[in-house]
Amino acid sequence: MSTTASKKIAIVTGASSGIGYAITKELAQHDYIIYACARRLEPMQPLVDEFSTSIIKPYKLDISILDEVITFKEFLEEELSGQKLDLLYNNAGQNCCLPALDISDADMQKCFQVNVFGHINMCRELSKYLINAKGTIVFTGSISGIVSFPFGSIYSATKAAIHAYARGLHLELKPFGVRVINSVTGGVNTHISDIRPLPKDSIYEFPEGKEAFESVQHMTDNYQPMSAEVYAKKLVGDILSSKDPVDVYRGSSATFLSFFSSIVPYFILESALIKQFNLTKAFEVLKGKKVEAKKQD
């Protein structure tokens, strides 16, 4: 067993960029040893150079592949001192910004495999280490799991699913002294926007539709997102706290949007989304096409 017994041990998935990278660095500054997991290891080299391989331990892992998760579990069997894991930070994510009717089966499966099934598999396979340590599990949730933004229905569905799973897990792990935190995340400057163009046969493939689509694609950049570093400081503060919430709200507008969506009727929220993301003109064009088609019939 190679880890240092006196230090706390963390696993962070999706550690090669954005929130995962910032969380890994913040944990290292709080004297954790971190298994920094990602599909690409090269981007984490600056962290290794800054903190050394005794603190940052890069591990190549695709959480969407169950065999890789199981192999990682077997690796930890030999690595973890006392068979204890203090923190599992489930951060790896797959964005998916396309109209609901344009999502291919492959895109849908990929998004759910990473955002939902991969995290569930990690929790199940590593649970004994967390229970042994009375550790903490964290999920990078999203305000999208509460508010379904235009062209983000599949991504929203994955985040709503992981919110529900986190809450159930929070309840079931109480007797074991394991905390579960779901970070309902608002705007964070991570540069992971899905910038694929609309499919050529999309019902929104016309100038006004593309304008609305691009507005959604760049919504995080346009609304003063929180830096990943500030977000990480807040989340590590939640981890180090003795409090045991299910949901915490971090990132720009997370608290406001969660509260707003809980008190207003859905039709008002929907009207606000139409206005905010320039959908009015697109809807007028689509209604015009519908009228024209009826005339031709």
Side-chain angles (χ1 to χ4, degrees):
M1 298 182 183
S2 61
T3 56
T4 304
S6 63
K7 289 181 177 289
K8 288 189 175 182
I9 310 299
I11 291 169
V12 179
T13 64
S16 62
S17 64
I19 289 172
Y21 188 99
I23 288 289
T24 300
K25 184 172 183 177
E26 187 69 20
L27 288 171
Q29 292 170 343
H30 283 82
D31 212 27
Y32 276 78
I33 293 172
I34 307 101
Y35 291 90
C37 301
R39 289 178 294 180
R40 298 178 302 118
L41 301 185
E42 296 81 5
M44 292 185 282
Q45 190 57 46
L47 287 177
V48 175
D49 293 341
E50 181 175 355
F51 294 101
S52 84
T53 54
S54 64
I55 300 298
I56 307 291
K57 296 176 176 289
Y59 187 96
K60 187 175 177 62
L61 176 65
D62 184 343
I63 67 164
S64 70
I65 301 173
L66 178 56
D67 286 347
E68 290 197 16
V69 173
I70 292 173
T71 298
F72 182 46
K73 173 188 176 181
E74 293 169 348
F75 166 77
L76 292 174
E77 192 81 23
E78 301 298 324
E79 283 277 305
L80 292 179
S81 177
Q83 301 292 280
K84 292 182 178 181
L85 174 63
D86 298 286
L87 173 65
L88 171 60
Y89 201 115
N90 293 294
N91 170 70
Q94 176 69 46
N95 206 342
C96 188
C97 182
L98 283 172
L101 299 183
D102 293 330
I103 300 291
S104 68
D105 186 65
D107 283 338
M108 178 178 62
Q109 288 195 32
K110 185 177 182 180
C111 199
F112 270 91
Q113 199 69 47
V114 176
N115 294 357
V116 183
F117 307 143
H119 299 317
I120 292 173
N121 288 338
M122 288 287 286
C123 290
R124 183 188 63 247
E125 296 301 325
L126 305 186
S127 59
K128 71 174 184 178
Y129 307 130
L130 289 152
I131 290 171
N132 288 344
K134 295 186 178 181
T136 300
I137 299 171
V138 181
F139 297 92
T140 300
S142 174
I143 190 64
S144 294
I146 297 173
V147 178
S148 189
F149 292 97
F151 311 124
S153 59
I154 294 298
Y155 181 77
S156 289
T158 65
K159 290 302 183 180
I162 210 64
H163 288 191
Y165 176 73
R167 289 163 188 159
L169 195 65
H170 182 273
L171 172 64
E172 293 176 18
L173 292 184
K174 273 184 174 293
F176 301 97
V178 175
R179 294 191 307 154
V180 177
I181 299 172
N182 175 45
S183 177
V184 182
T185 303
V188 179
N189 190 10
T190 60
H191 305 294
I192 61 167
S193 299
D194 185 349
I195 57 173
R196 288 177 293 175
L198 283 167
K200 295 300 182 184
D201 59 350
S202 173
I203 58 174
Y204 283 92
E205 176 59 31
F206 56 91
E208 294 82 358
K210 288 193 285 189
E211 180 184 354
F213 179 65
E214 290 169 3
S215 176
V216 174
Q217 283 184 315
H218 299 288
M219 67 176 176
T220 299
D221 298 333
N222 295 335
Y223 297 104
Q224 298 181 325
M226 178 181 289
S227 73
E229 292 75 20
V230 171
Y231 178 94
K233 287 183 183 297
K234 291 178 179 292
L235 253 296
V236 171
D238 295 322
I239 292 163
L240 297 176
S241 169
S242 60
K243 295 179 181 179
D244 185 27
V246 182
D247 297 327
V248 297
Y249 298 86
R250 299 290 178 251
S252 298
S253 301
T255 301
F256 168 75
L257 286 173
S258 297
F259 177 72
F260 181 74
S261 66
S262 71
I263 63 171
V264 302
Y266 184 73
F267 75 90
I268 295 178
L269 176 62
E270 199 170 59
S271 296
L273 292 173
I274 290 170
K275 182 178 180 180
Q276 187 70 35
F277 294 106
N278 302 320
L279 281 162
T280 304
K281 292 181 180 178
F283 284 7
E284 288 173 354
V285 171
L286 288 170
K287 289 176 182 177
K289 287 182 178 181
K290 184 177 179 181
V291 170
E292 190 63 32
K294 284 186 176 180
K295 288 180 180 178
Q296 291 177 1
D297 290 343

